[in-house]
Amino acid sequence: MSAVLSEQPRGELRLDVPAEDYYRRELDVARASGLGVLLEKSPAHYRAWVEAQEEHDTPAQVFGRAYHCRVLEPERFAQTYVAEPQDAPRRPSVTQRKAKKPSPDTVAAIAFWDAWEAENAGRIVLPAEAFDVIEAMHRTLVAHPVVRGLMKDGHSEVTLQWVDGETGVRCKARADWWSPQRRLLADLKTTDDASPEGFRRSIARYGYHLQHAHYCDGAQAAGVPVRNYLILAQEKEPPYAVAVYHIDAAAETRGYELRQRGLRVMRECIDRGEWPAYGTGITEITLPAWALQD
């Protein structure tokens, strides 16, 4: 199959965009995460986010990225990640390595770890417990009947590139799963609470409804309009519960409203060459409603 599945004047859906190329932040190219920063904070914060390029990942983000890789790119996962060896000797300290007469145990430990690190150079090391959790989560995920059916055909890590029809802003998105036969996009989200009540808060907090709008507009621009956009939510603690969600009409409408608001602000900033923070004048401010009451 060709790397470009379909193409329209405004965009295309591609299978051959390396992750490092896609995740490179560009000031004048809209991603859902960038629009979220712009709307939640300000254009100045968005510009700082772009210029930062990389952030220090939290352990949760490292785990989430590893799990996505295990589910969506199992071959790359095997090449990229490695578990800390179990029942290995304790890593020798700098002092032990510099000792003039190290003990036999220290010599053996140095030899073990030097060999292990040489063998696994360049790979991301995860605790052995994390590997066990990842495998348990994966077994639970693919046992879900909807997910099992979804994964029978399709492509992982597909990139959409297009120009927004209203503002002319260049856009891009990267969906976890694309099924051409079903015209379906799906995204995998790890979470602490996949219940309907808990996950609706995650949708609002992390802007998944804006992401939904952004991805669906990209598919439309690429000439492959989606019939359905699903979120595969999975908890990170036993029993690693899975829930599959479809955003309703009200959330979808709100997502499109927020997305277009962000794109209009971005268009104005691009045209002016200015990325303001909280305004350039004097703004009247009051207390929160709760602070005005006894």
Side-chain angles (χ1 to χ4, degrees):
M1 179 177 290
S2 171
V4 178
L5 296 183
S6 60
E7 187 169 354
Q8 289 289 315
R10 286 201 297 125
E12 61 185 1
L13 187 153
R14 301 182 61 88
L15 302 177
D16 59 350
V17 179
E20 58 271 21
D21 290 348
Y22 172 77
Y23 287 109
R24 185 179 302 116
R25 300 171 186 175
E26 302 169 86
L27 191 63
D28 60 347
V29 179
R31 285 168 47 189
S33 53
L35 290 173
V37 173
L38 188 151
L39 289 169
E40 182 180 353
K41 299 293 287 186
S42 75
H45 290 83
Y46 166 71
R47 181 168 188 166
W49 176 81
V50 171
E51 292 174 348
Q53 285 300 326
E54 296 182 359
E55 300 174 356
H56 296 294
D57 289 336
T58 65
Q61 289 171 324
V62 172
F63 178 86
R65 188 175 296 112
Y67 183 55
H68 271 70
C69 190
R70 171 64 182 91
V71 173
L72 303 168
E73 301 175 285
E75 293 183 1
R76 189 169 78 86
F77 177 81
Q79 297 169 357
T80 304
Y81 293 90
V82 64
E84 288 183 336
Q86 294 180 311
D87 301 323
R90 179 175 295 182
R91 285 181 181 272
S93 66
V94 174
T95 301
Q96 288 175 312
R97 284 182 173 273
K98 292 182 176 180
K100 292 182 178 180
K101 294 182 178 181
S103 69
D105 287 345
T106 298
V107 171
I110 291 172
F112 174 88
W113 284 108
D114 285 352
W116 188 86
E117 289 173 357
E119 181 182 354
N120 295 284
R123 300 172 79 186
I124 299 172
V125 181
L126 295 177
E129 297 80 5
F131 259 75
D132 292 341
V133 171
I134 284 172
E135 291 304 318
M137 288 179 65
H138 183 254
R139 288 193 298 271
T140 303
L141 179 72
V142 297
H144 190 283
V146 173
V147 178
R148 185 170 60 247
L150 178 66
M151 294 296 184
K152 286 181 179 179
D153 62 81
H155 308 277
S156 63
E157 302 290 5
V158 297
T159 296
L160 294 156
Q161 299 170 320
W162 75 104
V163 176
D164 179 61
E166 178 190 331
T167 64
V169 172
R170 291 187 298 144
C171 301
K172 62 181 179 179
R174 193 173 178 91
D176 287 339
W177 194 259
W178 160 245
S179 173
Q181 290 78 8
R182 298 181 176 90
R183 290 289 177 90
L184 180 148
L185 287 175
D187 244 33
L188 174 63
K189 306 293 186 186
T190 55
T191 181
D192 293 328
D193 187 352
S195 70
E197 183 60 37
F199 199 70
R200 67 166 51 99
R201 290 193 293 267
S202 292
I203 292 173
R205 179 181 180 184
Y206 298 113
Y208 295 156
H209 53 321
L210 186 155
Q211 178 179 312
H212 164 102
H214 194 64
Y215 285 31
C216 289
D217 187 73
Q220 181 75 32
V224 287
V226 299
R227 296 193 184 102
N228 210 343
Y229 176 94
L230 300 179
I231 299 177
L232 316 180
Q234 184 172 22
E235 295 176 354
K236 296 176 287 185
E237 297 287 342
Y240 309 116
V242 176
V244 180
Y245 291 111
H246 170 75
I247 289 177
D248 71 6
E252 181 181 53
T253 298
R254 180 60 174 164
Y256 274 97
E257 289 173 351
L258 290 172
R259 176 180 177 272
Q260 287 309 121
R261 181 189 303 173
L263 287 173
R264 289 168 191 149
V265 172
M266 184 177 288
R267 176 78 270 167
E268 184 176 350
C269 291
I270 293 170
D271 291 344
R272 292 186 176 184
E274 299 175 355
W275 301 84
Y278 300 124
T280 57
I282 299 173
T283 302
E284 184 177 60
I285 193 168
T286 188
L287 294 171
W290 60 264
L292 294 170
Q293 301 173 2
D294 291 335

